[in-house]
Amino acid sequence: TSGSTGTSGTSSNGTSGTSFSSPYSGNLNGTSGQAWMSSFGATTSINWNNSNVQTRTLAASETFTFANPNNGATYILIVRQAAAGSYTITWPSVSWSGGSTPIMTATANKYDVYTFVYANSIYYGSYVQNFT
């Protein structure tokens, strides 16, 4: 058997209330607590307000700069070596794990993943390299 149809409701406007203002700004694109990645394109200036996870394919040996960090935030860069291979990255001021600045994997089309935590005006960096 089929169900019956309910009665028709009336159209009315709700009462006005206070507006919601998000306490969050910048450094996160997402819904339901998940962030997504964006490419930082042809520029080597990485603006964290575009996303906290960004990708880049090297076009040459490049010098990166970072902009708009938030204290306590985590940022991830996924960098792909160009098909020509052997390009390098010069980093802004980063306190690297182990005290050594990483060298980008030189093999063509390989990926390196760099993670940064920004705290008290310092980027703390770690990395995992040589992904296919």
Side-chain angles (χ1 to χ4, degrees):
T1 65
S2 63
S4 61
T5 304
T7 59
S8 174
T10 59
S11 175
S12 64
N13 292 327
T15 58
S16 65
T18 59
S19 64
F20 173 76
S21 177
S22 174
Y24 306 104
S25 64
N27 296 325
L28 180 64
N29 292 321
T31 58
S32 301
Q34 294 190 32
W36 61 76
M37 105 176 79
S38 67
S39 172
F40 56 99
T43 179
T44 56
S45 177
I46 298 129
N47 182 345
W48 297 123
N49 282 341
N50 293 335
S51 180
N52 64 321
V53 180
Q54 298 187 38
T55 63
R56 171 105 175 134
T57 297
L58 296 177
S61 292
E62 299 178 356
T63 299
F64 290 169
T65 60
F66 298 155
N68 299 311
N70 279 329
N71 198 43
T74 300
Y75 303 106
I76 299 172
L77 292 178
I78 302 169
V79 182
R80 180 178 183 218
Q81 185 61 263
S86 298
Y87 293 137
T88 61
I89 300 169
T90 301
W91 295 98
S93 181
V94 173
S95 178
W96 291 103
S97 175
S100 296
T101 302
I103 297 171
M104 178 71 195
T105 299
T107 307
N109 300 311
K110 293 287 186 163
Y111 293 84
D112 290 354
V113 178
Y114 302 92
T115 302
F116 305 93
V117 174
Y118 185 77
N120 302 317
S121 300
I122 298 171
Y123 285 98
Y124 295 94
S126 61
Y127 52 96
V128 182
Q129 297 180 297
N130 204 25
F131 289 95
T132 56

